[in-house]
Amino acid sequence: MPEFLKVKTAEEILEVIENIAPLSAQTVSVQEASGRVLSEEVKAPEPVPHFARSTMDGYAVRARDTFGAGESLPALLEVIGEVAMGQGAQVAVRPGTAVAIPTGGALPEGADAVVMVEYTQPLDETAIEVTRPVAPGDNVLGIGDDVAAGEKVLERGWKLRPQDVGLLAAMGMEEVRVFRRPRVAVVSTGDEIVPPETRSLPPGKIRDINTYVVAAQVAEAGGQVGTVRVVADDLDALEAVCREALAGHDVVILSGGSSVGIRDFTIRVLERFPGSELLAHGVAIRPGKPTILARLGEKVLWGLPGQPASAMIVFTAFVRPSLLRLQGVEGVQELETNVRRAELAQNIPSVHGRADYVRVRLTRHKGRLAAEPVFGKSAMISTLSKADGYVIVPEHVEGLEAGSLVHVHLFSTP
Amino acid sequence: MPEFLKVKTAEEILEVIENIAPLSAQTVSVQEASGRVLSEEVKAPEPVPHFARSTMDGYAVRARDTFGAGESLPALLEVIGEVAMGQGAQVAVRPGTAVAIPTGGALPEGADAVVMVEYTQPLDETAIEVTRPVAPGDNVLGIGDDVAAGEKVLERGWKLRPQDVGLLAAMGMEEVRVFRRPRVAVVSTGDEIVPPETRSLPPGKIRDINTYVVAAQVAEAGGQVGTVRVVADDLDALEAVCREALAGHDVVILSGGSSVGIRDFTIRVLERFPGSELLAHGVAIRPGKPTILARLGEKVLWGLPGQPASAMIVFTAFVRPSLLRLQGVEGVQELETNVRRAELAQNIPSVHGRADYVRVRLTRHKGRLAAEPVFGKSAMISTLSKADGYVIVPEHVEGLEAGSLVHVHLFSTP
């Protein structure tokens, strides 16, 4: 068996991810909808506002009664009432009259504009002078001026933000259709790996790091963490865990030990699942080469390298976009939400002919972002904790120079 | 009573926020710690790794046995055993011998370096030639090389990211001390406001938007949304709601109706709470002037303008930093997490003498970010949903020119 069966470039993997279909849709309450992705467009069920509202404190008038009004020749209007906040207007505006109205108040019948209080002078208890003319519609938000009934307000695939939730609430919507969030199983494999809660470490064993890091990254990417397991490098044990994980989850993320054999284990387990489709076995980046992407029907299986730094880079570059895509986010290739531009603080050497993903730390210097390469053995967790993300030295480039502007891909949403 | 009692600039309000003390500390499990802020520094309870590990596949050797080795004159070593993954080495390396070792394997006694398999040639079943010398420590991660026992690894005030959680797990930590997250009550006031779930709107009434938007923003900022209420503009009712909210929450966020009287209501309610301290009444920005910030003992009360756009701007500019500060985040003034640099797509006119916060939409054009001003009446919710954030036109600047580089403050974490 060749070491890697289907090596792909980063671009090719992202193209595969782009073609993953979103999960099924579900109905959620509008209060819980922020951060979710619409599975169908939203049309306004009713107009907003549903009555003509004043946008200023002042007087509701017939605009024509103010035509030609000015400081030297004000228009004289009789004040015949007042609109109370939150109530329908009790009195209609007739020619030559005005009704006091607060911001947000309902425009009385007969009125077609509001004169701001600043441009009026009380003459006596029941009369005002208007010193500036208004046109029909001035300082009024008419029925449907904000949102017309039936208007398409949000697109399928739109990720709802707090302000969108406000818009849905304004239209009286209580529920909305969104794509499901993926349920994700996180599995670490390796004979040397023991659960992190192991108090006293047996000889040769280390605590698992990847389940904790991957689970936290899954949650940040909107996934729902389900089963979290550590298993030894045993083909039958791994198959059993995968079978159970695939049954109850949309995505299974394995991270392998660092030895060569583990990758074969994942491939051999996949062979035991009829209909499984190996989409990538090997990706042409460093670190991160031993990455596996497979589909089993509607389910997605990722195999990540065992080194925590490699696993975190591959998660950020590929697994996160795949989880977003399953939630219905469009155009994951163009996603720039977790990318920052920064000035490289130091030269990064690189070997021509492979894409290097180099860990960097972001620092702020006089309001500008700088990216400092974090060097150190990739087996180290302390250097990973010192890094905020990575910069990519492309395949055909031999290193990056200090002072150049780079894109930093963040491991985590700040 | 003057309209605004204590008008502050944006900078002054941020300084007040900077001085808010974090909430008390609590213990959380490491699995739940991502996104939380450390209330005390973390020192390594044990070294990582706790045994010397190979970082390569190869042979554990005594470095001196390889000195002078080369292609033309390889060093000859007897292979006396193999280290199994996840187990202590069963055999010690003596002069002239080597032990096969996988990446991550435990270095046997007597060995002080690992020769990569690439620089060896099998001679027969029990012997190898080494074609490159190694120095002591080469390809080995010694005890505590990653993290020394007792070393300070993370500072008080550090916001934990997935990679930091990995570091805690590696050190065998199961729990960690973090600052509490604020419990936040969200209250909308206004005679014209009805709960969003109201099916058929009575005359003059509109659905509340702010509780939904503010609650979603609170959750994004790491706060825990508790009571959510809509109350009428009634002094006694507002006092009762505030009293209850203050009893069970760390922060109360009121958003007022749009009429002038509401602001006074909040002030008058505050006067009924002995020991309440008015920190700001009015902030010199537009929109957002009618903003109130008060402390009642350890509790924080915000009064936001009733217009959804104004409330969202004030939340983003001031309330969010205050919630982060309560969670122990340091230097909220320098926070740039939700700021993007973009090119202004259109001129923004502004009046000299006040800081204008202008809503903009972010668009991507050939990989570059552009900020398009969103104009429209501030009472509109549809224009708020079209905006991603705001740019600030400072007090002493008369507008911004198209093409200039601006900072966009995002309403929401993307």
Side-chain angles (χ1 to χ4, degrees), chain A residues 46 146 161 163-164 174 199 207 341 367 377 381-382 385 387-388, chain B residues 46 140 146 161 163-164 174 199 207 341 367 381-382 385 387-388:
Chain A
E46 54 180 69
D146 196 346
R161 304 158 302 166
Q163 57 267 50
D164 303 316
E174 289 177 67
R199 286 268 41 86
R207 293 196 182 84
R341 281 171 183 74
K377 294 174 179 167
I381 177 69
S382 58
S385 170
D388 291 301
Chain B
E46 53 180 68
V140 170
D146 196 346
R161 305 156 304 164
Q163 57 266 51
D164 303 316
E174 290 177 66
R199 286 268 41 86
R207 293 195 183 84
R341 280 171 183 73
I381 178 69
S382 58
S385 169
D388 292 300

PDB file of all heavy atoms in Angstrom, chain A residues 46 146 161 163-164 174 199 207 341 367 377 381-382 385 387-388, chain B residues 46 140 146 161 163-164 174 199 207 341 367 381-382 385 387-388:
ATOM      1  N   GLU A  46     -45.377  40.678   7.580  1.00  0.00           N
ATOM      2  CA  GLU A  46     -46.226  41.864   7.737  1.00  0.00           C
ATOM      3  C   GLU A  46     -45.348  43.105   7.570  1.00  0.00           C
ATOM      4  O   GLU A  46     -44.130  43.013   7.662  1.00  0.00           O
ATOM      5  CB  GLU A  46     -46.901  41.856   9.121  1.00  0.00           C
ATOM      6  CG  GLU A  46     -45.932  41.705  10.284  1.00  0.00           C
ATOM      7  CD  GLU A  46     -46.663  41.704  11.632  1.00  0.00           C
ATOM      8  OE1 GLU A  46     -47.386  40.733  11.925  1.00  0.00           O
ATOM      9  OE2 GLU A  46     -46.499  42.682  12.375  1.00  0.00           O
ATOM     10  N   ASP A 146     -40.125  50.733   6.434  1.00  0.00           N
ATOM     11  CA  ASP A 146     -38.942  50.030   6.918  1.00  0.00           C
ATOM     12  C   ASP A 146     -38.842  48.686   6.196  1.00  0.00           C
ATOM     13  O   ASP A 146     -37.846  48.411   5.523  1.00  0.00           O
ATOM     14  CB  ASP A 146     -39.059  49.850   8.442  1.00  0.00           C
ATOM     15  CG  ASP A 146     -37.736  49.496   9.111  1.00  0.00           C
ATOM     16  OD1 ASP A 146     -36.792  49.133   8.391  1.00  0.00           O
ATOM     17  OD2 ASP A 146     -37.658  49.580  10.348  1.00  0.00           O
ATOM     18  N   ARG A 161     -27.139  37.380  12.709  1.00  0.00           N
ATOM     19  CA  ARG A 161     -26.413  38.144  13.733  1.00  0.00           C
ATOM     20  C   ARG A 161     -27.463  38.764  14.666  1.00  0.00           C
ATOM     21  O   ARG A 161     -28.654  38.735  14.368  1.00  0.00           O
ATOM     22  CB  ARG A 161     -25.603  39.248  13.045  1.00  0.00           C
ATOM     23  CG  ARG A 161     -24.644  38.716  11.977  1.00  0.00           C
ATOM     24  CD  ARG A 161     -24.283  39.807  11.004  1.00  0.00           C
ATOM     25  NE  ARG A 161     -25.491  40.352  10.387  1.00  0.00           N
ATOM     26  CZ  ARG A 161     -25.537  41.483   9.697  1.00  0.00           C
ATOM     27  NH1 ARG A 161     -24.442  42.198   9.524  1.00  0.00           N
ATOM     28  NH2 ARG A 161     -26.662  41.896   9.173  1.00  0.00           N
ATOM     29  N   GLN A 163     -28.431  41.735  15.085  1.00  0.00           N
ATOM     30  CA  GLN A 163     -29.307  42.714  14.421  1.00  0.00           C
ATOM     31  C   GLN A 163     -30.337  42.054  13.508  1.00  0.00           C
ATOM     32  O   GLN A 163     -31.430  42.585  13.293  1.00  0.00           O
ATOM     33  CB  GLN A 163     -28.492  43.776  13.673  1.00  0.00           C
ATOM     34  CG  GLN A 163     -27.523  43.278  12.610  1.00  0.00           C
ATOM     35  CD  GLN A 163     -26.127  43.050  13.139  1.00  0.00           C
ATOM     36  OE1 GLN A 163     -25.947  42.380  14.157  1.00  0.00           O
ATOM     37  NE2 GLN A 163     -25.132  43.562  12.453  1.00  0.00           N
ATOM     38  N   ASP A 164     -30.002  40.870  12.962  1.00  0.00           N
ATOM     39  CA  ASP A 164     -30.976  40.158  12.128  1.00  0.00           C
ATOM     40  C   ASP A 164     -32.086  39.569  12.993  1.00  0.00           C
ATOM     41  O   ASP A 164     -33.247  39.531  12.588  1.00  0.00           O
ATOM     42  CB  ASP A 164     -30.281  39.036  11.353  1.00  0.00           C
ATOM     43  CG  ASP A 164     -29.140  39.556  10.499  1.00  0.00           C
ATOM     44  OD1 ASP A 164     -29.323  40.588   9.837  1.00  0.00           O
ATOM     45  OD2 ASP A 164     -28.063  38.937  10.508  1.00  0.00           O
ATOM     46  N   GLU A 174     -41.621  34.300  15.465  1.00  0.00           N
ATOM     47  CA  GLU A 174     -41.216  33.629  16.703  1.00  0.00           C
ATOM     48  C   GLU A 174     -40.247  32.499  16.430  1.00  0.00           C
ATOM     49  O   GLU A 174     -39.486  32.100  17.291  1.00  0.00           O
ATOM     50  CB  GLU A 174     -42.443  33.059  17.415  1.00  0.00           C
ATOM     51  CG  GLU A 174     -43.323  34.130  18.013  1.00  0.00           C
ATOM     52  CD  GLU A 174     -44.546  33.503  18.641  1.00  0.00           C
ATOM     53  OE1 GLU A 174     -44.393  32.782  19.638  1.00  0.00           O
ATOM     54  OE2 GLU A 174     -45.660  33.718  18.105  1.00  0.00           O
ATOM     55  N   ARG A 199      -4.235  10.567  36.799  1.00  0.00           N
ATOM     56  CA  ARG A 199      -3.455  11.285  37.809  1.00  0.00           C
ATOM     57  C   ARG A 199      -1.967  10.967  37.725  1.00  0.00           C
ATOM     58  O   ARG A 199      -1.128  11.834  37.574  1.00  0.00           O
ATOM     59  CB  ARG A 199      -3.966  10.982  39.220  1.00  0.00           C
ATOM     60  CG  ARG A 199      -5.279  11.658  39.564  1.00  0.00           C
ATOM     61  CD  ARG A 199      -5.116  13.031  40.255  1.00  0.00           C
ATOM     62  NE  ARG A 199      -4.076  13.879  39.708  1.00  0.00           N
ATOM     63  CZ  ARG A 199      -4.237  14.710  38.680  1.00  0.00           C
ATOM     64  NH1 ARG A 199      -5.378  14.828  38.077  1.00  0.00           N
ATOM     65  NH2 ARG A 199      -3.244  15.454  38.246  1.00  0.00           N
ATOM     66  N   ARG A 207      -0.483  12.328  28.463  1.00  0.00           N
ATOM     67  CA  ARG A 207      -1.908  12.653  28.495  1.00  0.00           C
ATOM     68  C   ARG A 207      -2.359  13.109  27.116  1.00  0.00           C
ATOM     69  O   ARG A 207      -1.634  13.784  26.407  1.00  0.00           O
ATOM     70  CB  ARG A 207      -2.186  13.761  29.505  1.00  0.00           C
ATOM     71  CG  ARG A 207      -1.953  13.333  30.926  1.00  0.00           C
ATOM     72  CD  ARG A 207      -2.588  14.294  31.901  1.00  0.00           C
ATOM     73  NE  ARG A 207      -2.277  13.851  33.267  1.00  0.00           N
ATOM     74  CZ  ARG A 207      -1.140  14.156  33.884  1.00  0.00           C
ATOM     75  NH1 ARG A 207      -0.250  14.914  33.293  1.00  0.00           N
ATOM     76  NH2 ARG A 207      -0.927  13.711  35.099  1.00  0.00           N
ATOM     77  N   ARG A 341      -4.579  40.664   8.988  1.00  0.00           N
ATOM     78  CA  ARG A 341      -3.382  41.098   8.273  1.00  0.00           C
ATOM     79  C   ARG A 341      -2.381  41.623   9.287  1.00  0.00           C
ATOM     80  O   ARG A 341      -2.757  42.377  10.181  1.00  0.00           O
ATOM     81  CB  ARG A 341      -3.735  42.193   7.271  1.00  0.00           C
ATOM     82  CG  ARG A 341      -4.346  41.658   5.991  1.00  0.00           C
ATOM     83  CD  ARG A 341      -4.884  42.772   5.110  1.00  0.00           C
ATOM     84  NE  ARG A 341      -5.515  42.228   3.923  1.00  0.00           N
ATOM     85  CZ  ARG A 341      -6.708  41.623   3.915  1.00  0.00           C
ATOM     86  NH1 ARG A 341      -7.383  41.502   5.038  1.00  0.00           N
ATOM     87  NH2 ARG A 341      -7.209  41.139   2.799  1.00  0.00           N
ATOM     88  N   GLY A 367      -0.670  50.133  17.835  1.00  0.00           N
ATOM     89  CA  GLY A 367      -1.911  49.978  17.091  1.00  0.00           C
ATOM     90  C   GLY A 367      -1.798  49.119  15.845  1.00  0.00           C
ATOM     91  O   GLY A 367      -2.782  48.873  15.166  1.00  0.00           O
ATOM     92  N   LYS A 377      10.114  22.686  18.563  1.00  0.00           N
ATOM     93  CA  LYS A 377       9.717  21.361  18.102  1.00  0.00           C
ATOM     94  C   LYS A 377       8.199  21.268  18.066  1.00  0.00           C
ATOM     95  O   LYS A 377       7.520  21.741  18.973  1.00  0.00           O
ATOM     96  CB  LYS A 377      10.321  20.299  19.027  1.00  0.00           C
ATOM     97  CG  LYS A 377      11.835  20.274  18.929  1.00  0.00           C
ATOM     98  CD  LYS A 377      12.485  19.327  19.939  1.00  0.00           C
ATOM     99  CE  LYS A 377      14.007  19.351  19.739  1.00  0.00           C
ATOM    100  NZ  LYS A 377      14.739  18.715  20.844  1.00  0.00           N
ATOM    101  N   ILE A 381       3.722  21.427  23.351  1.00  0.00           N
ATOM    102  CA  ILE A 381       2.420  22.067  23.553  1.00  0.00           C
ATOM    103  C   ILE A 381       2.619  23.505  24.016  1.00  0.00           C
ATOM    104  O   ILE A 381       1.804  24.377  23.727  1.00  0.00           O
ATOM    105  CB  ILE A 381       1.543  21.248  24.537  1.00  0.00           C
ATOM    106  CG1 ILE A 381       0.207  21.937  24.804  1.00  0.00           C
ATOM    107  CG2 ILE A 381       2.271  20.963  25.844  1.00  0.00           C
ATOM    108  CD1 ILE A 381      -0.722  21.960  23.636  1.00  0.00           C
ATOM    109  N   SER A 382       3.742  23.783  24.689  1.00  0.00           N
ATOM    110  CA  SER A 382       3.950  25.157  25.180  1.00  0.00           C
ATOM    111  C   SER A 382       4.097  26.138  24.014  1.00  0.00           C
ATOM    112  O   SER A 382       3.593  27.252  24.080  1.00  0.00           O
ATOM    113  CB  SER A 382       5.174  25.227  26.094  1.00  0.00           C
ATOM    114  OG  SER A 382       6.326  24.789  25.411  1.00  0.00           O
ATOM    115  N   SER A 385       0.693  26.883  22.590  1.00  0.00           N
ATOM    116  CA  SER A 385      -0.054  27.830  23.413  1.00  0.00           C
ATOM    117  C   SER A 385       0.476  29.251  23.229  1.00  0.00           C
ATOM    118  O   SER A 385      -0.242  30.223  23.464  1.00  0.00           O
ATOM    119  CB  SER A 385       0.016  27.402  24.882  1.00  0.00           C
ATOM    120  OG  SER A 385      -0.499  28.407  25.729  1.00  0.00           O
ATOM    121  N   ALA A 387       1.292  30.400  20.317  1.00  0.00           N
ATOM    122  CA  ALA A 387       0.901  30.836  18.974  1.00  0.00           C
ATOM    123  C   ALA A 387      -0.571  31.221  18.924  1.00  0.00           C
ATOM    124  O   ALA A 387      -1.396  30.655  19.630  1.00  0.00           O
ATOM    125  CB  ALA A 387       1.179  29.722  17.968  1.00  0.00           C
ATOM    126  N   ASP A 388      -0.878  32.216  18.082  1.00  0.00           N
ATOM    127  CA  ASP A 388      -2.271  32.611  17.871  1.00  0.00           C
ATOM    128  C   ASP A 388      -2.845  32.018  16.593  1.00  0.00           C
ATOM    129  O   ASP A 388      -4.048  31.961  16.418  1.00  0.00           O
ATOM    130  CB  ASP A 388      -2.369  34.137  17.785  1.00  0.00           C
ATOM    131  CG  ASP A 388      -2.084  34.793  19.127  1.00  0.00           C
ATOM    132  OD1 ASP A 388      -2.802  34.485  20.087  1.00  0.00           O
ATOM    133  OD2 ASP A 388      -1.128  35.580  19.216  1.00  0.00           O
TER     134      ASP A 388
ATOM    135  N   GLU B  46       3.505  19.791  37.114  1.00  0.00           N
ATOM    136  CA  GLU B  46       4.471  18.717  36.830  1.00  0.00           C
ATOM    137  C   GLU B  46       5.153  19.036  35.506  1.00  0.00           C
ATOM    138  O   GLU B  46       4.669  19.844  34.728  1.00  0.00           O
ATOM    139  CB  GLU B  46       3.754  17.370  36.765  1.00  0.00           C
ATOM    140  CG  GLU B  46       2.576  17.334  35.814  1.00  0.00           C
ATOM    141  CD  GLU B  46       1.893  15.954  35.791  1.00  0.00           C
ATOM    142  OE1 GLU B  46       1.286  15.567  36.804  1.00  0.00           O
ATOM    143  OE2 GLU B  46       1.992  15.284  34.760  1.00  0.00           O
ATOM    144  N   VAL B 140      15.508  14.589  20.761  1.00  0.00           N
ATOM    145  CA  VAL B 140      14.970  14.151  22.053  1.00  0.00           C
ATOM    146  C   VAL B 140      14.313  15.352  22.730  1.00  0.00           C
ATOM    147  O   VAL B 140      14.841  16.461  22.689  1.00  0.00           O
ATOM    148  CB  VAL B 140      16.085  13.607  22.964  1.00  0.00           C
ATOM    149  CG1 VAL B 140      15.556  13.377  24.389  1.00  0.00           C
ATOM    150  CG2 VAL B 140      16.661  12.320  22.393  1.00  0.00           C
ATOM    151  N   ASP B 146       9.510  20.859  27.462  1.00  0.00           N
ATOM    152  CA  ASP B 146       8.337  21.586  26.962  1.00  0.00           C
ATOM    153  C   ASP B 146       7.877  22.552  28.051  1.00  0.00           C
ATOM    154  O   ASP B 146       7.826  23.767  27.831  1.00  0.00           O
ATOM    155  CB  ASP B 146       7.254  20.567  26.592  1.00  0.00           C
ATOM    156  CG  ASP B 146       6.162  21.141  25.711  1.00  0.00           C
ATOM    157  OD1 ASP B 146       6.086  22.373  25.604  1.00  0.00           O
ATOM    158  OD2 ASP B 146       5.379  20.367  25.138  1.00  0.00           O
ATOM    159  N   ARG B 161      -7.775  29.991  25.303  1.00  0.00           N
ATOM    160  CA  ARG B 161      -8.149  29.557  23.957  1.00  0.00           C
ATOM    161  C   ARG B 161      -8.010  28.030  23.900  1.00  0.00           C
ATOM    162  O   ARG B 161      -7.463  27.424  24.813  1.00  0.00           O
ATOM    163  CB  ARG B 161      -7.216  30.211  22.933  1.00  0.00           C
ATOM    164  CG  ARG B 161      -7.177  31.723  23.031  1.00  0.00           C
ATOM    165  CD  ARG B 161      -5.877  32.264  22.469  1.00  0.00           C
ATOM    166  NE  ARG B 161      -4.734  31.653  23.135  1.00  0.00           N
ATOM    167  CZ  ARG B 161      -3.484  31.690  22.675  1.00  0.00           C
ATOM    168  NH1 ARG B 161      -3.222  32.317  21.552  1.00  0.00           N
ATOM    169  NH2 ARG B 161      -2.501  31.115  23.332  1.00  0.00           N
ATOM    170  N   GLN B 163      -5.975  26.117  22.456  1.00  0.00           N
ATOM    171  CA  GLN B 163      -4.598  25.629  22.620  1.00  0.00           C
ATOM    172  C   GLN B 163      -4.132  25.744  24.063  1.00  0.00           C
ATOM    173  O   GLN B 163      -3.279  24.957  24.515  1.00  0.00           O
ATOM    174  CB  GLN B 163      -3.636  26.343  21.652  1.00  0.00           C
ATOM    175  CG  GLN B 163      -3.572  27.847  21.741  1.00  0.00           C
ATOM    176  CD  GLN B 163      -4.499  28.542  20.767  1.00  0.00           C
ATOM    177  OE1 GLN B 163      -5.695  28.219  20.719  1.00  0.00           O
ATOM    178  NE2 GLN B 163      -3.990  29.503  20.017  1.00  0.00           N
ATOM    179  N   ASP B 164      -4.668  26.718  24.818  1.00  0.00           N
ATOM    180  CA  ASP B 164      -4.304  26.835  26.232  1.00  0.00           C
ATOM    181  C   ASP B 164      -4.939  25.707  27.042  1.00  0.00           C
ATOM    182  O   ASP B 164      -4.338  25.185  27.987  1.00  0.00           O
ATOM    183  CB  ASP B 164      -4.770  28.182  26.793  1.00  0.00           C
ATOM    184  CG  ASP B 164      -4.200  29.346  26.003  1.00  0.00           C
ATOM    185  OD1 ASP B 164      -2.997  29.314  25.683  1.00  0.00           O
ATOM    186  OD2 ASP B 164      -4.956  30.281  25.687  1.00  0.00           O
ATOM    187  N   GLU B 174      -7.235  19.289  35.897  1.00  0.00           N
ATOM    188  CA  GLU B 174      -8.636  18.983  35.604  1.00  0.00           C
ATOM    189  C   GLU B 174      -9.535  20.188  35.810  1.00  0.00           C
ATOM    190  O   GLU B 174     -10.614  20.280  35.259  1.00  0.00           O
ATOM    191  CB  GLU B 174      -9.133  17.855  36.509  1.00  0.00           C
ATOM    192  CG  GLU B 174      -8.524  16.522  36.180  1.00  0.00           C
ATOM    193  CD  GLU B 174      -8.999  15.467  37.152  1.00  0.00           C
ATOM    194  OE1 GLU B 174     -10.195  15.167  37.146  1.00  0.00           O
ATOM    195  OE2 GLU B 174      -8.167  14.973  37.946  1.00  0.00           O
ATOM    196  N   ARG B 199     -49.096  38.646  18.842  1.00  0.00           N
ATOM    197  CA  ARG B 199     -49.508  38.294  17.483  1.00  0.00           C
ATOM    198  C   ARG B 199     -50.132  39.479  16.759  1.00  0.00           C
ATOM    199  O   ARG B 199     -49.701  39.870  15.690  1.00  0.00           O
ATOM    200  CB  ARG B 199     -50.495  37.123  17.509  1.00  0.00           C
ATOM    201  CG  ARG B 199     -49.871  35.778  17.812  1.00  0.00           C
ATOM    202  CD  ARG B 199     -49.448  34.979  16.557  1.00  0.00           C
ATOM    203  NE  ARG B 199     -48.833  35.768  15.523  1.00  0.00           N
ATOM    204  CZ  ARG B 199     -47.534  36.061  15.460  1.00  0.00           C
ATOM    205  NH1 ARG B 199     -46.692  35.654  16.378  1.00  0.00           N
ATOM    206  NH2 ARG B 199     -47.057  36.776  14.466  1.00  0.00           N
ATOM    207  N   ARG B 207     -43.531  46.047  18.290  1.00  0.00           N
ATOM    208  CA  ARG B 207     -42.884  44.953  19.000  1.00  0.00           C
ATOM    209  C   ARG B 207     -41.514  45.397  19.510  1.00  0.00           C
ATOM    210  O   ARG B 207     -40.801  46.139  18.857  1.00  0.00           O
ATOM    211  CB  ARG B 207     -42.712  43.745  18.091  1.00  0.00           C
ATOM    212  CG  ARG B 207     -44.030  43.119  17.712  1.00  0.00           C
ATOM    213  CD  ARG B 207     -43.812  41.747  17.123  1.00  0.00           C
ATOM    214  NE  ARG B 207     -45.108  41.216  16.700  1.00  0.00           N
ATOM    215  CZ  ARG B 207     -45.668  41.488  15.541  1.00  0.00           C
ATOM    216  NH1 ARG B 207     -45.047  42.267  14.681  1.00  0.00           N
ATOM    217  NH2 ARG B 207     -46.849  40.989  15.234  1.00  0.00           N
ATOM    218  N   ARG B 341     -10.013  46.735   9.556  1.00  0.00           N
ATOM    219  CA  ARG B 341      -9.610  47.879   8.743  1.00  0.00           C
ATOM    220  C   ARG B 341     -10.229  47.730   7.360  1.00  0.00           C
ATOM    221  O   ARG B 341     -10.197  46.644   6.783  1.00  0.00           O
ATOM    222  CB  ARG B 341      -8.087  47.936   8.627  1.00  0.00           C
ATOM    223  CG  ARG B 341      -7.413  48.530   9.837  1.00  0.00           C
ATOM    224  CD  ARG B 341      -5.912  48.376   9.773  1.00  0.00           C
ATOM    225  NE  ARG B 341      -5.281  48.900  10.975  1.00  0.00           N
ATOM    226  CZ  ARG B 341      -5.321  48.304  12.171  1.00  0.00           C
ATOM    227  NH1 ARG B 341      -5.980  47.178  12.320  1.00  0.00           N
ATOM    228  NH2 ARG B 341      -4.724  48.848  13.213  1.00  0.00           N
ATOM    229  N   GLY B 367     -10.625  40.558  -2.493  1.00  0.00           N
ATOM    230  CA  GLY B 367      -9.858  40.244  -1.291  1.00  0.00           C
ATOM    231  C   GLY B 367      -9.658  41.414  -0.347  1.00  0.00           C
ATOM    232  O   GLY B 367      -9.080  41.265   0.724  1.00  0.00           O
ATOM    233  N   ILE B 381     -35.240  49.293  11.411  1.00  0.00           N
ATOM    234  CA  ILE B 381     -34.539  48.072  11.777  1.00  0.00           C
ATOM    235  C   ILE B 381     -33.920  47.427  10.534  1.00  0.00           C
ATOM    236  O   ILE B 381     -32.883  46.772  10.615  1.00  0.00           O
ATOM    237  CB  ILE B 381     -35.487  47.099  12.527  1.00  0.00           C
ATOM    238  CG1 ILE B 381     -34.782  45.791  12.878  1.00  0.00           C
ATOM    239  CG2 ILE B 381     -36.757  46.815  11.764  1.00  0.00           C
ATOM    240  CD1 ILE B 381     -33.705  45.900  13.918  1.00  0.00           C
ATOM    241  N   SER B 382     -34.510  47.656   9.367  1.00  0.00           N
ATOM    242  CA  SER B 382     -33.968  47.030   8.148  1.00  0.00           C
ATOM    243  C   SER B 382     -32.572  47.571   7.840  1.00  0.00           C
ATOM    244  O   SER B 382     -31.695  46.813   7.418  1.00  0.00           O
ATOM    245  CB  SER B 382     -34.897  47.244   6.955  1.00  0.00           C
ATOM    246  OG  SER B 382     -35.094  48.621   6.726  1.00  0.00           O
ATOM    247  N   SER B 385     -30.059  45.927  10.129  1.00  0.00           N
ATOM    248  CA  SER B 385     -29.734  44.564   9.695  1.00  0.00           C
ATOM    249  C   SER B 385     -28.807  44.586   8.487  1.00  0.00           C
ATOM    250  O   SER B 385     -28.082  43.627   8.229  1.00  0.00           O
ATOM    251  CB  SER B 385     -31.023  43.813   9.385  1.00  0.00           C
ATOM    252  OG  SER B 385     -30.762  42.595   8.738  1.00  0.00           O
ATOM    253  N   ALA B 387     -26.338  46.674   8.254  1.00  0.00           N
ATOM    254  CA  ALA B 387     -25.028  47.154   8.707  1.00  0.00           C
ATOM    255  C   ALA B 387     -24.275  46.057   9.449  1.00  0.00           C
ATOM    256  O   ALA B 387     -24.863  45.218  10.124  1.00  0.00           O
ATOM    257  CB  ALA B 387     -25.213  48.370   9.612  1.00  0.00           C
ATOM    258  N   ASP B 388     -22.948  46.068   9.319  1.00  0.00           N
ATOM    259  CA  ASP B 388     -22.102  45.131  10.062  1.00  0.00           C
ATOM    260  C   ASP B 388     -21.470  45.782  11.287  1.00  0.00           C
ATOM    261  O   ASP B 388     -21.010  45.089  12.183  1.00  0.00           O
ATOM    262  CB  ASP B 388     -20.980  44.608   9.155  1.00  0.00           C
ATOM    263  CG  ASP B 388     -21.507  43.716   8.048  1.00  0.00           C
ATOM    264  OD1 ASP B 388     -22.125  42.692   8.384  1.00  0.00           O
ATOM    265  OD2 ASP B 388     -21.336  44.063   6.868  1.00  0.00           O
TER     266      ASP B 388
END
